[in-house]
Amino acid sequence: MSRLSEIFSNNPKCFVPFVTAGHPDLEATERIVLELVEAGSHIVEIGIPFSDPIADGPVIQTSSFRALRHGYGVPDYIELIRRLRNRVDAGLVFMTYMNPVWSYGPGRLAREAAEAGLDGIIISDLTPEEHLRFREQGDPRNCVKGLDIIFLAAPTSSDERLRKVSRASGGFVYLVARTGVTGKKSDVESQVPATIRRLRRYSDLPIAVGFGITSARDVRRVWRYADAAVIGTALVRFVDEHRHDADLPGQVGLFAREHLIPG
Amino acid sequence: MSLQNTSAFEARWPDAGGHFGAYGGKFVPETLMSPLEELDRAYEEARNDPEFGREMERLSSHYVGRPTPLTLAPRLSERVGARVYLKREDLCHTGAHKINNALGQALLARRMGKSRIIAETGAGQHGVATATVCALMGMECEIYMGTEDMRRQALNVFRMELLGARVTPVDAGSRTLKDAINEAMRDWVTHVENTHYLLGSVLGAHPYPAMVRDFQSVIGREARRQILELEGRLPDLLIACVGGGSNSIGLFYEFLGEPGVRMIGVEAGGRSFRLGDHAARFQGGSKGVLHGTFSYVLQDGNGQVSHTHSVSAGLDYPSVGPEHALLRDSGRVEYTSADDNEALEAFHLLSRLEGIMPALESSHAVAECLRHQGSGELIVINLSGRGDKDVETVRDLLE
């Protein structure tokens, strides 16, 4: 059983924060993740920034551009995973875009990151169809192996697409709560419960709901019908606003405890 | 007008998933998949509907001004030592080939019941073409444009506003075309119910590269008929500039099945071959994914997309249409580059020799033609746009 599956079987409701790696720098990211796990996070999504993040709203875009100024590369992010894995048992998942993955080599990235202790990867602009096409072409350099690949589902996805997404995903399925980019409004779309019912027809995988969740109240609401709630923008905004503060990681931990994780 | 494929090569690509060989496809967030599938279905229906073809033909003739002439360039021919014709897309309404695609997609959007059009623009030509067809059809229009481009092309911003469009500044990343595309895609994800994204080149996820190619392929169909009438034979060589690649594929497509016709696409060599100083993707780029498609991309060692430079804003883009990537790998089309200085020289030369002021983009194609000294070949250059928009840029460079 993969670590992600194990986490979901031990925890009926999971809290999943997202942080942009390298925002404000990688040292801070490491300490922030440790604080978030300490505060009660089950899985942490670690964003590898990309120059053209079409699925992200302004807050995560800004954090990405700030992080990119450091010039970090994939080996730096893998090293972050290695250091974190020595300290925590929580699930660690990369979230990024296809181009940085392609540039490094999907096969190489998966092998090295899995060896360092990464559990899964979300590639926002990789669909199950394109993923399968790479697999069918059979070139191991282009295949992600050894990691759970988590694909996105949306309320606008047809049944046919939900079936493909469920079959291709490992660890969990990531349902985006509204049609739109990350971080636009805090209400949870009304179609989400219906989409989850449709997803359950095709898969026993746990379902995480993300995009547009900004408070412990939102998290609790999502937990009523999904297995995990993902908090991205609200957290990244907090990090950005406090990026010059002396004890940033401690403050992030406190913020998560007080405002994001249901008591 | 028929939008049906003809030759064997054409019929093969893209495949059902939108791939051109290894390239193309749909690399987009899941939220964009259903709008892309809806667009794909609607386009397939439209291209097989004779009524859609007739409406397209009517507006192409009576609004855009097609067919555009194929003009012999006698003094340029003499200078080069070849027989050179210019395909006059500069004479289209709004001054460039961009309107062919804008018109096709706007008709499609209306057919799909969309009331709002969004588009990206770099130099402003595609934005102006889009604002124009939206005015014609009474549709709401919003154009995304990088703040750096808005500064460089202030007059085109005003033109779009005069045509009733809203121009929305994009102040992220490099503040140019690629960032405007990012923002337009975000808008589309959020407003898919009533909005069509009118992408301006053979870029992006399927069906855009194939659809935009089809709307632009009228250039090559006309050129073929015209050169046969004028010269009684097919040309030896076609030359066109390549930014995203819509004017070049528009000219080349009809001739792909003709082994005797050589084709050269000209990228922007900018001011040097250092990364960031040019837009020659086939010389300085490597394979990658940008804006939904797999192609060649100018990027650094970490897979971060590079800034680009060209004197012509229309060629200033870090990736290239996926069909061009296939045509390059197969060797069917050759790709070269011309730098800023060569393009400027060609701009002056064509203005003085023929009384035709080319867009700085098209000037790159003219520059390539000058390298074929004494060849005696029958050459067709795609004059994709007129140079009026570039007069200020050229004046600033002269000072």
Side-chain angles (χ1 to χ4, degrees), chain B residues 271-290:
Chain B
R271 57 191 164 219
S272 88
F273 269 105
R274 273 212 335 254
L275 189 65
D277 274 0
H278 65 88
R281 291 69 44 105
F282 288 133
Q283 295 182 50
S286 49
K287 293 173 191 178
V289 173
L290 181 65

Side-chain angles (χ1 to χ4, degrees), chain B residues 332-384:
Chain B
R332 181 63 191 93
V333 177
E334 297 157 57
Y335 293 86
T336 62
S337 65
D339 66 24
D340 286 356
N341 289 331
E342 291 174 286
L344 281 163
E345 278 169 33
F347 176 92
H348 291 295
L349 190 73
L350 195 70
S351 302
R352 290 181 186 192
L353 286 180
E354 301 291 346
I356 294 172
M357 202 178 288
L360 282 173
E361 290 78 8
S362 322
S363 301
H364 287 71
V366 177
E368 171 62 32
C369 180
L370 297 174
R371 295 170 182 161
H372 296 257
Q373 291 289 335
S375 66
E377 292 168 313
L378 181 58
I379 300 175
V380 173
I381 300 175
N382 197 12
L383 208 74
S384 55

Side-chain angles (χ1 to χ4, degrees), chain A residues 115-130:
Chain A
E115 186 267 325
L118 189 77
D119 302 303
I121 186 164
I122 304 166
I123 303 174
S124 295
D125 55 351
L126 180 66
T127 58
E129 288 90 339
E130 299 294 350

Side-chain angles (χ1 to χ4, degrees), chain A residues 49-56 61 68 71-73 98-99 102-103 124-125 127 130 133 152 156-157 161 176 180-181, chain B residues 19 21 25-31 33-34 37 173 178 182 186 189-190 287-289 294 299 301-305:
Chain A
F50 177 48
S51 53
D52 294 84
I54 53 171
D56 289 301
Q61 282 178 57
L68 284 172
Y72 299 127
M98 193 57 195
N99 203 56
W102 180 263
S103 164
S124 295
D125 55 351
T127 58
E130 299 294 350
R133 194 161 182 269
L152 304 185
T156 50
S157 305
R161 294 207 53 74
V176 297
V181 293
Chain B
H19 302 98
K26 291 184 199 173
F27 290 86
V28 292
E30 178 62 25
T31 41
M33 285 303 282
S34 94
E37 285 174 351
K178 80 177 176 75
N182 293 340
R186 293 186 190 107
V189 172
T190 316
K287 293 173 191 178
V289 173
F294 185 63
Q299 53 186 313
N302 293 327
Q304 305 299 339
V305 178

